[in-house]
C-alpha cells in the first residue's frame, strides 16, 4: 500500500485517538456529568443527615439505610411493586405476544392493525391516567365502566377509592397494558419475522398440525431471545412505575398511603415537605441494588446471551 | 412474513383452518375497537359540555359538539396552557436535535474510529442503561438544583440529552454502514469529520428519523423529570400542567379534556407521519437480540 502524505496524516494513530474523542467526548462527558456524578453523589449523600441541603456535614454512616429498611412505608412500597409486577408482567407479555401472532398472520390490513395497537404508545401516562380516572373508571355518578356494568344490573363501584376489594389495581394495570402492549408487540413482530420459513415447512412435512403444536414446538422456542428481552424490560419498567400511580391516585388532598410503589415513595421522601435527601438517596441506592440483583438474576436464570439452538 | 403453512387436503382441516382464521379476525377487530375507545372518549369529552360529561345518562355522542371548548381553554387566564405547550415544544425539539447530534457522533466514533479503549468506553456508556434512569432522579435533582437550573429550560433539557439508548442504536447502525462509501470519501481526501457530515449523515436519514421520533415522543410525554425540575408555573410542561389540573378543583372537566386532546395532537401528527420509521428503528436496533 502506498500512502499519500495526506492520507497518512488523517489515519495516523494519534489523529485517530483525537478524532475518537472529538466524536465521543461530548456525549461521554455529559453521561459522566449527568449520570455518574449524580450516582456517586447519591451514594455520598446517603451516608449523611441531609435535610434540605446538598452539602451536608452530619455523617451518620449506615443510619439512613437501617431506618429505610425498618421503615414500613419503604418495605410496603416494595410489596406494592411486587404485586404490580405480578399483574403487569404476565398480562403485557401474553397480550403483546398474542397481538403479534395474530397481526403477523394477517394477509390484509396488517399495517392498519399494527398502527391501531401501537397508537397508544404516542399517548402519555398523564393523558391516559386522566381518561381512565375521569371517564372510564370514574366513581359513582358517571363513567363508562359503571354505565356498561349498569346495563347488566351491576351496582356502581368507586373504582379508585375502594380498597377492599382493591379495585384500583384493575385501573392501574389496564392503563399500562393499553399504553405498552403495542410497543412489545412490535418487538415480538420483529422476532417473528426473523424465524426462517423453512422451519415451518419442515414442521408441516413432519405432520405438525398448524396451531398449538407449531406454536409450542417452533414459534415459542424461536422467540426465546425476544421473550427474555421483553420480560427484562417489563420488570425494569415496572420498578420505575411512577406516572400512572401518581396521576391516578393523588387527589387535591394528597396521596393515599396504600399503593405507593418505590419511586412514588422516594419522590415524597426526598422532594416532599421534609426534603430528606439523605434518606431519599439511601432509598434510591437500595432500589438500584435491588434492581441490579433482580436483573442480573433474571438474566442468569434465562441464560441471557446464550445462543439460540 | 412467515410463509403460510402447507394445508392438508382433508376438508375437515380446511374448515378448521378457515374457522380459525375467521375467529382471529373477529378477535382482532374487537381488540382494535377496545384499543380505540380511550381516544374516542378523549375527543368525545373534549367536545362535550360539562353537563354531558357528568350526566348519569351516558350517551355515545354528546348532545351537541362544543368546538368553543378550545377557545375557552386558551382564553382561561387560570390555565397556562399556551405557555405549557410552548415549553413542551421547545423541550421536545431541543432534546431531539441535541440527542441526535450527540448520540450519532458518539455512535459513529464508537463504530468506526479505531481506538484502543473504544470497547471500554462503549461498556461504560452501555452500563448507564442498566441503571434505571428514574433511580437517579434524586441525585440528578440535587445536581441540577446546585447548578441553579431548577425551573429553567436548561434544567429541563440538558440532563436528558445523553441517551445511552440512542447512542447504542446509532453504533449498531453504523457498524453495518457500507464501508465502500466512506472509503471513496477518504480517497477524495475527506477526514472523519467531513466524511461523517457529507457522506454518512445524508445516507442515514431513516435511522435519524426513527431515533428522532422515539426521542421526540419520549421528551413530549416525560413526566417525572419535568415535575421535579419545573416547579414554577412558567416552567410547566404540558404533562405537568395536565397533572396539576387533574387534581385541582379550579378547572372544569370539559376544559381539562380538551386540554388533554390538544396535548396529543402534535404527537399524533409526528407519530402517523413517522410510524413506519419507528417500527423499522425498533426492528433494526437489535434491542431484542
Amino acid at each position: 500500500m502506498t500512502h499519500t502524505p495526506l492520507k497518512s496524516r488523517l489515519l495516523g494513530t494519534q489523529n485517530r485517538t483525537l478524532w475518537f474523542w472529538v466524536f465521543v467526548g461530548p456525549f461521554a462527558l455529559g453521561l459522566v456529568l449527568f449520570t455518574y456524578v449524580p450516582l456517586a453523589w447519591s451514594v455520598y449523600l446517603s451516608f449523611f443527615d441531609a435535610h434540605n441541603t446538598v452539602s451536608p456535614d452530619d455523617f451518620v454512616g449506615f443510619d439512613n439505610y437501617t431506618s429505610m429498611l425498618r421503615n414500613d412505608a419503604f418495605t410496603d412500597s416494595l410489596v406494592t411493586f411486587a404485586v404490580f409486577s405480578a399483574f403487569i408482567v404476565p398480562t403485557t407479555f401474553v397480550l403483546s405476544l398474542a397481538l403479534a401472532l395474530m397481526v403477523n398472520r394477517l394477509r390484509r390490513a396488517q399495517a392498519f392493525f399494527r398502527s391501531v395497537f401501537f397508537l397508544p404508545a404516542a399517548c402519555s401516562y398523564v393523558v391516559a391516567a386522566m381518561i381512565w380516572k375521569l371517564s372510564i373508571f370514574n366513581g359513582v355518578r358517571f363513567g363508562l365502566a359503571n354505565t356498561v356494568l349498569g346495563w347488566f344490573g351491576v351496582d356502581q363501584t368507586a373504582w379508585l377509592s375502594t380498597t377492599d376489594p382493591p379495585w384500583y389495581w384493575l385501573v392501574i394495570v389496564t392503563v399500562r397494558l393499553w399504553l405498552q402492549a403495542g410497543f412489545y408487540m412490535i418487538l415480538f413482530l420483529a422476532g417473528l419475522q426473523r424465524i426462517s420459513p423453512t422451519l415451518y415447512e419442515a414442521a408441516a412435512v413432519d405432520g405438525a398440525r398448524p396451531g398449538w403444536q407449531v406454536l409450542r414446538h417452533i414459534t415459542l422456542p424461536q422467540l426465546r431471545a425476544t421473550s427474555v428481552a421483553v420480560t427484562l424490560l417489563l420488570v425494569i419498567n415496572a420498578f420505575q412505575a411512577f406516572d400512572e400511580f401518581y396521576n391516578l391516585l393523588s387527589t387535591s388532598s394528597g396521596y393515599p398511603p396504600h399503593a405507593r410503589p418505590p419511586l412514588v415513595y422516594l419522590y415524597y421522601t426526598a422532594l416532599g415537605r421534609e426534603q430528606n435527601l439523605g434518606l431519599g438517596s439511601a432509598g434510591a441506592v437500595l432500589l438500584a441494588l435491588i434492581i441490579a440483583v433482580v436483573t442480573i438474576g433474571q438474566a442468569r436464570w434465562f441464560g441471557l446471551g446464550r445462543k439460540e439452538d | 412474513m412467515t410463509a403460510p403453512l402447507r394445508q392438508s387436503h382433508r376438508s375437515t382441516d380446511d374448515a378448521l383452518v378457515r374457522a380459525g382464521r375467521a375467529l382471529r379476525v373477529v378477535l382482532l377487530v374487537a381488540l382494535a375497537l377496545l384499543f380505540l375507545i380511550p381516544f374516542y372518549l378523549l375527543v368525545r369529552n373534549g367536545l362535550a359540555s360539562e353537563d354531558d360529561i357528568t350526566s348519569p345518562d351516558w350517551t355515545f355522542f354528546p348532545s351537541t359538539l362544543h368546538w368553543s371548548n378550545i377557545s375557552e381553554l386558551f382564553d382561561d387566564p387560570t390555565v397556562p396552557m399556551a405557555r405549557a405547550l410552548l415549553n413542551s415544544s421547545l423541550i421536545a425539539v431541543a432534546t431531539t436535535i441535541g440527542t441526535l447530534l450527540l448520540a450519532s457522533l458518539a455512535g459513529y466514533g464508537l463504530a468506526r474510529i479505531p481506538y484502543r479503549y473504544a470497547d471500554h468506553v462503549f461498556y461504560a456508556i452501555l452500563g448507564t442503561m442498566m441503571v434505571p434512569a428514574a433511580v437517579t432522579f434524586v441525585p440528578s435533582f440535587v445536581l441540577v438544583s446546585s447548578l441553579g437550573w431548577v425551573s429553567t429550560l436548561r434544567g429541563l433539557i440538558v440532563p436528558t440529552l445523553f441517551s445511552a439508548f440512542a447512542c447504542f442504536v446509532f453504533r449498531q447502525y453504523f457498524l453495518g454502514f457500507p464501508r465502500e462509501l466512506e472509503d471513496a470519501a477518504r480517497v477524495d481526501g475527506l477526514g472523519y469529520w467531513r466524511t461523517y457530515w457529507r457522506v454518512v449523515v445524508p445516507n442515514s436519514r431513516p435511522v435519524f428519523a426513527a431515533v428522532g421520533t422515539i426521542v421526540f415522543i419520549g421528551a413530549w410525554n416525560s413526566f417525572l423529570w419535568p415535575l421535579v425540575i419545573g416547579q414554577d408555573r412558567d416552567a410547566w410542561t404540558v404533562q405537568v400542567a395536565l397533572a396539576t389540573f387533574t387534581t385541582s378543583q379550579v378547572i372544569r372537566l370539559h376544559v381539562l379534556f380538551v386540554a388533554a386532546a390538544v396535548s396529543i395532537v402534535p404527537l399524533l401528527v409526528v407519530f402517523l407521519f413517522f410510524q413506519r420509521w419507528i417500527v423499522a428503528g425498533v426492528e433494526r436496533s437489535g434491542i431484542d437480540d
Side-chain angles (χ1 to χ4, degrees):
Chain A
M1 277 281 278
T2 52
H3 290 283
T4 64
L6 180 71
K7 258 180 97 178
S8 65
R9 219 170 57 218
L10 284 169
L11 297 174
T13 315
Q14 274 207 313
N15 265 308
R16 283 201 307 237
T17 304
L18 177 74
W19 278 116
F20 178 87
W21 284 112
V22 167
F23 276 78
V24 182
F27 182 86
L29 193 69
L31 263 192
V32 168
L33 237 149
F34 291 106
T35 303
Y36 282 103
V37 168
L39 261 181
W41 201 338
S42 184
V43 174
Y44 172 81
L45 274 178
S46 70
F47 293 112
F48 286 84
D49 180 24
H51 276 79
N52 229 334
T53 174
V54 296
S55 45
D57 42 28
D58 188 4
F59 184 81
V60 294
F62 282 94
D63 280 6
N64 284 327
Y65 288 92
T66 48
S67 69
M68 208 59 171
L69 287 171
R70 279 205 213 101
N71 181 349
D72 283 346
F74 182 69
T75 43
D76 282 355
S77 78
L78 294 175
V79 173
T80 301
F81 155 74
V83 174
F84 179 58
S85 52
F87 279 123
I88 198 70
V89 174
T91 48
T92 316
F93 187 96
V94 170
L95 179 64
S96 52
L97 177 60
L99 289 177
L101 287 170
M102 289 193 289
V103 168
N104 193 44
R105 297 269 302 271
L106 281 178
R107 289 177 193 163
R108 256 173 288 164
Q110 201 188 52
F112 169 79
F113 280 103
R114 201 184 55 199
S115 301
V116 168
F117 296 129
F118 193 34
L119 200 59
C123 228
S124 72
Y125 276 98
V126 180
V127 171
M130 217 188 84
I131 301 170
W132 256 245
K133 179 184 184 175
L134 297 174
S135 194
I136 300 177
F137 290 107
N138 199 294
V140 178
R141 266 191 314 136
F142 54 97
L144 189 62
N146 279 336
T147 307
V148 172
L149 288 173
W151 296 340
F152 299 98
V154 179
D155 282 343
Q156 301 208 317
T157 308
W159 297 97
L160 281 163
S161 48
T162 309
T163 52
D164 187 29
W167 285 121
Y168 59 91
W169 279 114
L170 182 73
V171 187
I172 283 169
V173 169
T174 47
V175 167
R176 183 170 282 241
L177 198 56
W178 179 70
L179 282 171
Q180 301 259 284
F183 176 75
Y184 293 105
M185 173 196 74
I186 300 281
L187 295 191
F188 276 124
L189 273 174
L192 283 172
Q193 309 212 331
R194 270 196 291 270
I195 301 176
S196 161
T198 54
L199 279 173
Y200 289 104
E201 282 159 24
V205 170
D206 288 347
R209 289 167 64 92
W212 177 242
Q213 279 192 341
V214 169
L215 180 70
R216 199 184 138 194
H217 295 292
I218 310 278
T219 312
L220 290 184
Q222 288 291 316
L223 281 179
R224 187 188 160 84
T226 311
S227 305
V228 172
V230 167
T231 313
L232 279 172
L233 287 173
L234 281 170
V235 173
I236 290 176
N237 288 336
F239 251 117
Q240 300 198 56
F242 176 84
D243 297 10
E244 71 265 54
F245 282 88
Y246 182 91
N247 285 293
L248 283 169
L249 295 175
S250 66
T251 62
S252 49
S253 53
Y255 192 95
H258 63 83
R260 273 191 300 205
L263 215 56
V264 173
Y265 174 69
L266 286 181
Y267 174 79
Y268 283 104
T269 305
L271 305 176
R273 199 171 301 156
E274 284 198 43
Q275 298 253 331
N276 195 337
L277 296 171
L279 201 59
S281 299
V285 172
L286 282 172
L287 190 57
L289 287 175
I290 295 171
I291 295 178
V293 168
V294 170
T295 310
I296 293 168
Q298 215 182 1
R300 280 274 168 84
W301 174 262
F302 284 122
L304 190 69
R306 207 192 286 157
K307 280 284 163 218
E308 286 176 55
D309 303 323
Chain B
M1 281 293 290
T2 51
L5 291 170
R6 199 171 300 165
Q7 279 161 22
S8 154
H9 291 292
R10 283 176 300 167
S11 56
T12 48
D13 272 14
D14 276 353
L16 269 178
V17 167
R18 244 179 285 131
R21 196 179 298 148
L23 189 70
R24 207 168 58 229
V25 171
V26 170
L27 203 61
L28 269 176
V29 171
L31 281 168
L33 287 176
L34 212 58
F35 267 65
L36 289 173
I37 284 177
F39 288 106
Y40 148 73
L41 287 173
L42 186 62
V43 176
R44 179 209 181 265
N45 292 345
L47 295 178
S49 67
E50 182 153 32
D51 285 345
D52 263 334
I53 301 175
T54 56
S55 162
D57 300 314
W58 193 85
T59 54
F60 192 80
F61 289 109
S63 49
T64 42
L65 291 181
H66 290 256
W67 292 98
S68 59
N69 287 355
I70 299 171
S71 52
E72 197 182 329
L73 166 68
F74 288 103
D75 290 343
D76 190 339
T78 63
V79 182
M81 194 62 188
R83 181 63 193 256
L85 280 169
L86 179 70
N87 285 341
S88 283
S89 308
L90 289 173
I91 291 166
V93 170
T95 303
T96 308
I97 294 172
T99 304
L100 287 182
L101 187 73
L102 287 161
S104 73
L105 283 173
Y108 186 78
L110 288 166
R112 278 295 209 256
I113 305 178
Y115 172 58
R116 244 169 99 193
Y117 301 108
D119 279 351
H120 297 90
V121 175
F122 177 61
Y123 289 130
I125 290 171
L126 209 59
T128 64
M129 273 168 81
M130 307 301 162
V131 182
V135 171
T136 60
F137 85 88
V138 174
S140 298
F141 169 76
V142 168
L143 178 80
V144 167
S145 71
S146 63
L147 290 170
W149 286 4
V150 172
S151 284
T152 64
L153 284 182
R154 246 179 324 189
L156 286 157
I157 296 166
V158 177
T160 65
L161 290 181
F162 309 95
S163 158
F165 169 75
C167 174
F168 174 72
V169 174
F170 276 116
R171 176 182 175 270
Q172 298 305 99
Y173 172 81
F174 290 133
L175 280 175
F177 190 83
R179 270 187 193 275
E180 299 78 33
L181 280 172
E182 287 167 281
D183 289 344
R186 216 41 69 63
V187 170
D188 288 344
L190 266 62
Y192 284 116
W193 189 254
R194 284 193 294 167
T195 305
Y196 181 70
W197 286 106
R198 298 212 190 143
V199 180
V200 176
V201 173
N203 283 295
S204 308
R205 283 189 196 124
V207 72
F208 277 87
V211 177
T213 314
I214 294 172
V215 171
F216 187 91
I217 291 177
W220 185 272
N221 282 341
S222 80
F223 177 63
L224 179 57
W225 187 245
L227 179 74
V228 167
I229 293 302
Q231 294 179 345
D232 292 348
R233 221 174 132 85
D234 280 349
W236 280 357
T237 63
V238 168
Q239 309 301 336
V240 175
L242 283 173
T244 313
F245 301 156
T246 312
T247 52
S248 81
Q249 305 294 324
V250 187
I251 191 167
R252 283 161 303 165
L253 267 182
H254 61 289
V255 178
L256 183 54
F257 271 102
V258 83
V262 166
S263 81
I264 66 165
V265 169
L267 274 198
L268 287 185
V269 173
V270 170
F271 189 85
L272 291 176
F273 195 70
F274 288 103
Q275 202 237 120
R276 64 198 176 88
W277 275 313
I278 308 179
V279 175
V282 168
E283 287 176 358
R284 240 181 271 171
S285 68
I287 51 173
D288 55 335
D289 269 336

